Amino acid sequence: MVTVLFFASLRERVGTSRETVPIPAPNATVSMLVESLRARDGAWAEAFAPGQAWRVAVNQRVADLATPLRAGDEVAFFPPVTGG
Amino acid sequence: MPIVRVQEADFDTGRELDALTRGRTDVGAVASFTGLVRALNDGSAVSAMTLEHYPGMTERALEDICREAHARWKLIDTLVIHRVGALRPGDRIVLVGVSSAHRGEAFAACEFIMDYLKTRAPFWKREDTPGGSRWVEARESDEQAARGWE
């Protein structure tokens, strides 16, 4: 299992801030997790549609689609940041 | 040494910057940046702002940015205080302070820390305007400023 977090506008679009999901496959990557989220209902497909600007972090470090996932990882999806 | 704080409470800019020099005689320069909430953004009146962040990753990202500044320039201390939660126009959002022996390093590192903070630290602003509440969009000009340090 991995913990998946959603922040800001992305959290509002998918309607949840946190959930626990099974790792999609052995040797899974962020890309495979995104595919499984995109395969859900309309809001999820829309939020993760190609061309949508989102960022991902694994264990609180900036990650990308190729980043591997392991049991217990914390994966966060969020829009481009706007602090400062 | 990097000093990083993420908090809801306001901060006293003078006291925070004084703390960078108190009791020491090796600091020749302190540069600082203060960011504030404006009452007008992208043509709309802003009555309030809410800042969301990613607890844990935020502090780590800010510490990484400060450490990168220490690696690039000869600095004494770096300070970042960033507020989260409900803010109003005129409120302070962020303070960056950098101390060094000479001004060049302090000026450069202060700008670098802000440029990286704007594009790498997980904060998100939401504004209340007469047209409703809206998430602030990231600006390409901020990305360009950060790329300028690569």
Side-chain angles (χ1 to χ4, degrees):
Chain A
M1 303 294 274
V2 294
T3 300
V4 188
L5 308 177
F6 304 92
F7 289 95
S9 55
L10 195 60
R11 167 175 53 77
E12 291 185 348
R13 290 182 80 167
V14 301
T16 185
S17 60
R18 177 193 193 96
E19 60 178 291
T20 306
V21 302
I23 294 182
N27 305 315
T29 60
V30 167
S31 177
M32 294 162 82
L33 176 62
V34 170
E35 285 304 323
S36 73
L37 297 175
R38 194 180 280 155
R40 295 177 173 181
D41 73 14
W44 292 87
E46 207 173 289
F48 287 98
Q52 288 295 314
W54 48 266
R55 305 285 184 266
V56 61
V58 174
N59 297 328
Q60 305 188 355
R61 296 276 184 198
V62 173
D64 57 34
L65 288 171
T67 304
L69 295 181
R70 295 185 183 80
D73 281 350
E74 179 177 288
V75 185
F77 294 99
F78 44 80
V81 303
T82 56
Chain B
M1 198 185 88
I3 307 156
V4 166
R5 298 209 315 262
V6 178
Q7 61 189 43
E8 289 193 14
D10 192 14
F11 49 83
D12 181 327
T13 306
R15 186 168 14 181
E16 299 295 344
L17 295 177
D18 283 350
L20 295 177
T21 58
R22 190 172 307 127
R24 21 193 344 156
T25 52
D26 54 341
V27 175
V30 174
S32 72
F33 172 86
T34 307
L36 304 113
V37 181
R38 283 177 303 131
L40 190 69
N41 189 31
D42 286 336
S44 293
V46 175
S47 57
M49 174 181 283
T50 308
L51 259 151
E52 180 173 333
H53 78 302
Y54 179 178
M57 182 174 174
T58 312
E59 291 82 352
R60 180 177 273 190
L62 294 174
E63 283 162 12
D64 285 350
I65 292 166
C66 288
R67 270 195 289 272
E68 173 74 20
H70 281 270
R72 288 180 180 227
W73 294 279
K74 194 168 165 48
L75 307 175
I76 296 168
D77 286 316
T78 50
L79 166 72
V80 179
I81 304 174
H82 202 300
R83 295 179 69 192
V84 292
L87 300 174
R88 303 183 64 79
D91 282 353
R92 282 175 280 271
I93 305 171
V94 60
L95 173 67
V96 174
V98 179
S99 61
S100 58
H102 303 285
R103 72 183 184 286
E105 289 90 344
F107 275 133
C110 188
E111 187 167 20
F112 166 85
I113 289 170
M114 265 316 294
D115 286 347
Y116 268 38
L117 183 157
K118 293 285 284 187
T119 52
R120 298 185 177 199
F123 293 101
W124 302 275
K125 286 176 183 161
R126 195 185 172 96
E127 295 174 335
D128 293 344
T129 71
S133 178
R134 66 182 185 192
W135 291 99
V136 173
E137 297 279 329
R139 293 175 198 270
E140 175 54 27
S141 58
D142 288 334
E143 286 292 340
Q144 278 177 14
R147 278 199 294 272
W149 295 101
E150 283 170 8

